[in-house]
């Protein structure tokens, strides 16, 4: 169960673990299963964990005053999901995180994350790399949302995450792209021709 986490950390740290250090990591994370629809986080609660997904998928989303869901992030195998602002600032979250499928994760608290970062150079390297990648991905997502047409956003999703198109319902994909389900269906039909 921990081997995918080990491979992930070593990949993004460009380094390898000693067995002693990896034992520390294994003891820090907590394994948990979520049934489809079960919440890791609900709006208004303080985010207690960052989750590394071993199997399954989750989504981070908000619900506006009209009851419309806005998906900010999907999480799949070997991805992290959590509300970073709530986790680090200990503020109530604006988001919900739930399992789209039956999902297995490894959980870590903010304090545990800080402890590993402070004591294990390999973990610190991985966090540094992930922070850079996360910033770049967030910046690109904002740019795309503001600058690209709905069709171009769909084509970017199709190019970068073709598996999402088969794995997630069209209503969720439309929400993630910031378009209606009808617009998504029309664009998808056109793109598949």
């Amino acid at each position: 169960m921990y081997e995918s986490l080990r491979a992930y950390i070593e990949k993004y740290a460009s380094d390898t673990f000693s067995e002693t250090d990896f034992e520390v990591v294994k003891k820090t994370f907590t394994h948990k299963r979520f049934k489809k629809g079960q919440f890791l986080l609900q709006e208004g609660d303080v985010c207690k964990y960052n989750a590394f997904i071993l199997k399954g998928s989750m989504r981070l989303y908000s619900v506006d005053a009209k009851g419309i869901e806005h998906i900010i992030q999907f999480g799949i195998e070997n991805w992290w999901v959590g509300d970073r602002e709530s986790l680090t600032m200990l503020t109530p979250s604006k988001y919900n995180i739930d399992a789209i499928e039956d999902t297995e994760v490894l959980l870590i608290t903010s304090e545990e994350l800080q402890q590993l970062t402070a004591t294990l150079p390999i973990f610190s390297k991985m966090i540094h790399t992930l922070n850079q990648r996360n910033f770049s991905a967030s910046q690109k997502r904002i740019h795309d949302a503001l600058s690209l047409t709905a069709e171009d956003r769909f084509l970017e999703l199709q190019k970068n995450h073709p598996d999402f198109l088969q794995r997630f319902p069209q209503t969720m994909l439309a929400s993630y792209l910031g378009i209606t389900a009808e617009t998504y269906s029309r664009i998808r039909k056109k793109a598949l021709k």
Side-chain angles (χ1 to χ4, degrees), residues 6-30:
R6 181 179 191 150
Y8 182 93
I9 294 169
E10 290 179 345
K11 175 183 175 183
Y12 288 104
S14 300
D15 205 348
T16 55
F17 272 109
S18 70
E19 289 308 316
T20 306
D21 286 349
F22 193 64
E23 283 303 314
V24 172
V25 170
K26 284 169 57 175
K27 289 177 183 167
T28 303
F29 281 84
T30 304

Side-chain angles (χ1 to χ4, degrees), residues 40 57 88-89 109 182:
L40 169 66
S57 62
T88 56
M89 305 298 288
T109 67
E182 294 77 18

Side-chain angles (χ1 to χ4, degrees), residues 4 11 21 31 33 39 42 53 58 76 79 82 93 127 132 135 148-149 178 187:
S4 58
K11 175 183 175 183
D21 286 349
H31 178 257
R33 288 183 170 90
F39 286 92
Q42 289 186 279
I53 300 174
M58 300 185 111
I76 59 174
W79 287 22
S93 181
I127 293 294
Q132 288 177 324
F135 178 77
L148 299 182
T149 65
I187 290 169

Side-chain angles (χ1 to χ4, degrees), residues 150-162:
E151 186 172 346
D152 288 339
R153 290 195 306 272
F154 174 85
L155 293 173
E156 279 290 304
L157 179 66
Q158 185 180 38
K159 180 177 101 180
N160 296 318
H161 301 291

Side-chain angles (χ1 to χ4, degrees), residues 142-188:
I142 292 167
H143 173 269
D144 290 356
L146 297 173
S147 303
L148 299 182
T149 65
E151 186 172 346
D152 288 339
R153 290 195 306 272
F154 174 85
L155 293 173
E156 279 290 304
L157 179 66
Q158 185 180 38
K159 180 177 101 180
N160 296 318
H161 301 291
D163 52 318
F164 284 13
L165 303 183
Q166 305 305 316
R167 189 166 187 178
F168 301 127
Q170 289 187 26
T171 52
M172 286 187 187
L173 295 167
S175 170
Y176 178 75
L177 293 173
I179 58 179
T180 65
E182 294 77 18
T183 300
Y184 179 88
S185 183
R186 180 178 46 79
I187 290 169
R188 183 176 177 272

Side-chain angles (χ1 to χ4, degrees), residues 64-93:
D64 69 19
K66 296 177 184 174
I68 299 170
E69 291 181 1
H70 302 280
I71 297 177
I72 309 303
Q73 175 192 355
F74 287 112
I76 59 174
E77 291 85 1
N78 297 317
W79 287 22
W80 294 90
V81 68
D83 179 352
R84 294 176 73 160
E85 178 184 355
S86 177
L87 187 69
T88 56
M89 305 298 288
L90 302 177
T91 55
S93 181

Side-chain angles (χ1 to χ4, degrees), residues 50-117:
N50 216 353
F52 180 77
I53 300 174
L54 297 170
K55 181 181 176 187
S57 62
M58 300 185 111
R59 64 183 175 148
L60 180 140
Y61 66 98
S62 63
V63 180
D64 69 19
K66 296 177 184 174
I68 299 170
E69 291 181 1
H70 302 280
I71 297 177
I72 309 303
Q73 175 192 355
F74 287 112
I76 59 174
E77 291 85 1
N78 297 317
W79 287 22
W80 294 90
V81 68
D83 179 352
R84 294 176 73 160
E85 178 184 355
S86 177
L87 187 69
T88 56
M89 305 298 288
L90 302 177
T91 55
S93 181
K94 302 176 197 92
Y95 304 108
N96 298 287
I97 300 172
D98 67 5
I100 301 171
E101 306 162 338
D102 288 351
T103 303
E104 283 185 57
V105 299
L106 293 173
L107 299 174
I108 187 168
T109 67
S110 179
E111 298 81 19
E112 291 166 337
L113 194 63
Q114 289 173 22
Q115 179 73 25
L116 285 181
T117 303

